[in-house]
Amino acid sequence: MKLSDAVDLERIAKDTHGYVDADLTALCTEAALQCIREKMDVIDLEDESIDAEVLNSMAVSNEHFHTALGTSNPFALRETVVEVPNVSCGRILEALKMSSVSCKRLFNILWST
């Protein structure tokens, strides 16, 4: 599918940091599908072919890429795992109190010498 002359490939390159080749392929495919979705009202799905005028009027734009970027995730970021510890607020408060006491003792030791 052809690109609009106004497509900013440098901006897209900056926005796709961490993307691997499959991610870029999926991004371009989704941008092209966004372009096709815009023209669905003028495409006759019953016909076996699409009018050349309609095809010539279609070009992937910055907006199509912007929309596609909103729906894609780079492979590198999918590897990120977030682990939530199983700790109660009470245990955290106990640890803070003990830490506070230890700091006070250390402070007293340092200032008494």
Side-chain angles (χ1 to χ4, degrees):
M1 180 155 243
K2 68 181 176 180
L3 290 177
S4 167
D5 292 335
V7 170
D8 186 357
L9 292 176
E10 288 185 25
R11 181 75 224 163
I12 294 168
K14 288 177 185 174
D15 291 342
T16 55
H17 176 72
Y19 280 55
V20 297
D21 57 347
D23 298 327
L24 293 171
T25 300
L27 177 73
C28 293
T29 301
E30 182 58 33
L33 287 171
Q34 288 295 326
C35 182
I36 292 168
R37 286 182 192 112
E38 282 182 359
K39 299 289 185 177
M40 287 304 291
D41 58 335
V42 294
I43 297 174
D44 185 6
L45 297 177
E46 300 298 320
D47 263 351
E48 289 187 17
S49 63
I50 299 174
D51 186 24
E53 187 176 315
V54 173
L55 285 176
N56 288 333
S57 71
M58 295 182 357
V60 178
S61 68
N62 283 319
E63 185 60 35
H64 297 130
F65 277 108
H66 180 72
T67 303
L69 277 166
T71 62
S72 65
N73 292 318
F75 179 77
L77 295 181
R78 287 186 292 241
E79 292 294 314
T80 304
V81 177
V82 176
E83 186 176 327
V84 179
N86 186 14
V87 179
S88 69
C89 290
R91 287 192 58 194
I92 293 172
L93 287 173
E94 283 179 34
L96 287 172
K97 286 178 187 175
M98 289 176 29
S99 173
S100 176
V101 171
S102 299
C103 288
K104 285 180 186 175
R105 283 188 196 151
L106 178 60
F107 181 79
N108 289 334
I109 292 170
L110 289 174
W111 280 103
S112 65
T113 54

